[in-house]
C-alpha cells in the first residue's frame, strides 16, 4: 500500500487518493494545474504534489485554522507533543491560527473540531500514559489501578500490569505501541498517533511546492494555468456538516456546471442529474465497524461536470 499523508481531519481521502487521482488525471492529458478546492486535511493535495511534481498544485481550505496549520507544516514549524488539557482545548480551539487548527485536528473527538478527545473519566489516565510514552517514566501504580477501576465500572475484573523497559524501548513511538498492547483497553494514545502524522507531513518531499489559500470559499479561488483540473470533496449530502456549518449543495452544483474546466466531485451521491458518474470505489465503513463485527461497505463515487 502506498504511503499517504494528511492532517487528521473528518472525511479524509487518505485511503482513496491513489484510486481517485490517477484515474481523473489520466482522463485529461496535458493538465498543468491541479486545484484541491476543499482541501481539508490535504491528503489529496499532498499526494499530487509528491507524485506529480510537474503539476502546479493548489490547496484551498475554507477553515483559516486548518489552512494555517498546513502553512505551519509547510514552513517546518514546531509540533507540540505536550499533553493538551481540556481547558486549553476549549479556550483556544476556535481561533484562526495554526494552533487552533492543531487542536481541532489532533485533540478533538473524531477530528470534528468540536469536543475534547478524551472523556472526563479517562483524561487523567491518558495523561499519565502519555507521560510514560514520552519520557519512559510515570506513576505506574496509578496507571495499573486506574485501568482496573475503569474495567470494573464496565463489569470486568482483570489485573492490569505495565512492564516498560526504557532501555529497550528508546523511542516515543516504540513505547506508545508497547503500551497500547499491554493495556489494550486504554493504552492507545490517539492524539500521539495524530501528531506523528504531522511530523510525516513536514518531512514529506515536495511540500515546499504546495500553493496554499485559506479562508476562501471554493468559488473565490482564482483559477489559473493553461489547462487546470478542479477536484472537490464538499460536505456530503444528508450527512454531518463541517465545523463552519451548513453547505448549499445546489449553489455548488450550479457553480460546477458553469466552469469551463473539468470539475470532479467526490461524494456518496450527487443528486443533480447533470453530473456524470465516472467511478465508484468500494470502501469499508470505519464507523460501522466500531459497532459491528461484520464489515459494512459504502461506495465513494466520483462525478464529473462533463467538460473535457
Amino acid at each position: 500500500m502506498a504511503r499517504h499523508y494528511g492532517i487528521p481531519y473528518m472525511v479524509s481521502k487518505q485511503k482513496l487518493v491513489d484510486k481517485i487521482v490517477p484515474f481523473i488525471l489520466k482522463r485529461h492529458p496535458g493538465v498543468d494545474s491541479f486545484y484541491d478546492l476543499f482541501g481539508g486535511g490535504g491528503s489529496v493535495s499532498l499526494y499530487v504534489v509528491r507524485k506529480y511534481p510537474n503539476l502546479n498544485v493548489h490547496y484551498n481550505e475554507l477553515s483559516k485554522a486548518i489552512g494555517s496549520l498546513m502553512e505551519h507544516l509547510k514552513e517546518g514549524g514546531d509540533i507540540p507533543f505536550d499533553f493538551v488539557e481540556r481547558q486549553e482545548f476549549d479556550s483556544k480551539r476556535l481561533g484562526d491560527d495554526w494552533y487552533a487548527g492543531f487542536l481541532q485536528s489532533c485533540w478533538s473527538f473524531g477530528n470534528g473540531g468540536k469536543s475534547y478527545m478524551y472523556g472526563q473519566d479517562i483524561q487523567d489516565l491518558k495523561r499519565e500514559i502519555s507521560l510514560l510514552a514520552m519520557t519512559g517514566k510515570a506513576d505506574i501504580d496509578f496507571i495499573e489501578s486506574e485501568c482496573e477501576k475503569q474495567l470494573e465500572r464496565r463489569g470486568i475484573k482483570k489485573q492490569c500490569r505495565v512492564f516498560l523497559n526504557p532501555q529497550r524501548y528508546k523511542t516515543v513511538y516504540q513505547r506508545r505501541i508497547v503500551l497500547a498492547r499491554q493495556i489494550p483497553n486504554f493504552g492507545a494514545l490517539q492524539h500521539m498517533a495524530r501528531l506523528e502524522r504531522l511530523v510525516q507531513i513536514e518531512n514529506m518531499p515536495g511540500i515546499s511546492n504546495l500553493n496554499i489559500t485559506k479562508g476562501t470559499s471554493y468559488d473565490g479561488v482564482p483559477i489559473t494555468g493553461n489547462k487546470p483540473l478542479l477536484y472537490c470533496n464538499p460536505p456530503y449530502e444528508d450527512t454531518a456538516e463541517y465545523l463552519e456549518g451548513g453547505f448549499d449543495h445546489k449553489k455548488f452544483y450550479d457553480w460546477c456546471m458553469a466552469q469551463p474546466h473539468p470539475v470532479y466531485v467526490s461524494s456518496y451521491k450527487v443528486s443533480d442529474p447533470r453530473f456524470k458518474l465516472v467511478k465508484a470505489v468500494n470502501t469499508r465503513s470505519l464507523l460501522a465497524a466500531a459497532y459491528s463485527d461484520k464489515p459494512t461497505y459504502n461506495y465513494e463515487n466520483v462525478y464529473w461536470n462533463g467538460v473535457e
Side-chain angles (χ1 to χ4, degrees):
M1 180 181 291
R3 186 181 186 185
H4 303 317
Y5 301 81
I7 295 171
Y9 202 57
M10 61 188 303
V11 292
S12 170
K13 287 293 176 288
Q14 184 175 1
K15 295 183 178 180
L16 300 177
V17 62
D18 55 353
K19 297 179 177 65
I20 293 175
V21 170
F23 171 78
I24 62 178
L25 285 177
K26 188 176 181 180
R27 290 168 58 89
H28 302 275
V31 163
D32 61 358
S33 301
F34 186 97
Y35 285 82
D36 185 10
L37 295 178
F38 296 78
S43 58
V44 172
S45 293
L46 294 172
Y47 177 87
V48 179
V49 80
R50 183 167 58 99
K51 293 289 188 178
Y52 300 88
N54 59 308
L55 296 183
N56 193 9
V57 183
H58 298 259
Y59 162 93
N60 176 69
E61 172 52 34
L62 180 61
S63 167
K64 291 181 180 180
I66 297 297
S68 295
L69 177 58
M70 184 64 79
E71 286 183 331
H72 184 75
L73 297 174
K74 175 183 175 180
E75 295 164 1
D78 179 53
I79 300 173
F81 268 76
D82 293 337
F83 194 87
V84 172
E85 302 290 346
R86 181 185 300 272
Q87 183 178 1
E88 173 87 353
F89 174 84
D90 289 337
S91 65
K92 296 183 178 179
R93 72 177 179 89
L94 292 179
D96 288 337
D97 59 343
W98 74 266
Y99 189 68
F102 167 77
L103 294 177
Q104 292 172 21
S105 62
C106 293
W107 284 94
S108 69
F109 180 77
N111 312 118
K114 297 179 181 179
S115 58
Y116 185 63
M117 164 174 271
Y118 300 125
Q120 291 185 351
D121 63 328
I122 204 172
Q123 62 186 15
D124 291 342
L125 174 59
K126 289 290 187 177
R127 183 193 305 110
E128 203 66 28
I129 297 174
S130 179
L131 178 63
L132 184 57
M134 287 292 298
T135 67
K137 298 178 181 180
D139 189 340
I140 301 294
D141 291 339
F142 171 80
I143 293 175
E144 292 176 343
S145 64
E146 187 61 25
C147 285
E148 291 173 6
K149 289 178 184 177
Q150 291 287 342
L151 287 173
E152 191 170 351
R153 293 188 187 110
R154 304 179 186 184
I156 303 172
K157 287 191 175 183
K158 179 182 177 182
Q159 277 193 332
C160 294
R161 292 294 179 262
V162 176
F163 303 96
L164 187 67
N165 183 349
Q167 299 302 316
R168 180 179 180 183
Y169 304 107
K170 297 182 178 181
T171 69
V172 175
Y173 174 79
Q174 289 174 335
R175 292 193 289 266
R176 178 174 74 80
I177 297 302
V178 168
L179 289 169
R181 291 172 179 169
Q182 288 191 357
I183 40 178
N185 299 89
F186 311 104
L189 297 170
Q190 295 90 334
H191 73 277
M192 199 167 286
R194 296 176 185 180
L195 297 177
E196 290 165 359
R197 285 177 58 179
L198 299 190
V199 174
Q200 290 179 343
I201 294 174
E202 281 197 325
N203 297 326
M204 191 202 81
I207 190 173
S208 60
N209 298 323
L210 184 64
N211 300 288
I212 299 174
T213 55
K214 60 184 180 181
T216 303
S217 176
Y218 63 90
D219 54 355
V221 178
I223 307 299
T224 61
N226 294 323
K227 193 172 181 181
L229 183 146
L230 284 52
Y231 173 79
C232 301
N233 180 36
Y236 293 162
E237 292 186 47
D238 306 323
T239 58
E241 301 291 356
Y242 290 73
L243 186 63
E244 285 72 25
F247 183 78
D248 189 336
H249 287 90
K250 182 180 184 306
K251 176 184 175 183
F252 169 67
Y253 296 151
D254 288 342
W255 176 87
C256 291
M257 300 310 298
Q259 296 308 301
H261 318 294
V263 180
Y264 286 86
V265 179
S266 286
S267 184
Y268 289 151
K269 71 171 184 178
V270 168
S271 58
D272 192 317
R274 293 175 293 177
F275 284 84
K276 299 179 181 180
L277 175 61
V278 293
K279 188 175 181 63
V281 181
N282 198 7
T283 64
R284 183 171 182 176
S285 172
L286 297 179
L287 181 60
Y291 298 96
S292 173
D293 294 333
K294 297 181 180 179
T296 300
Y297 294 92
N298 297 318
Y299 279 99
E300 176 75 19
N301 295 316
V302 181
Y303 298 85
W304 174 44
N305 69 342
V307 176
E308 297 289 348

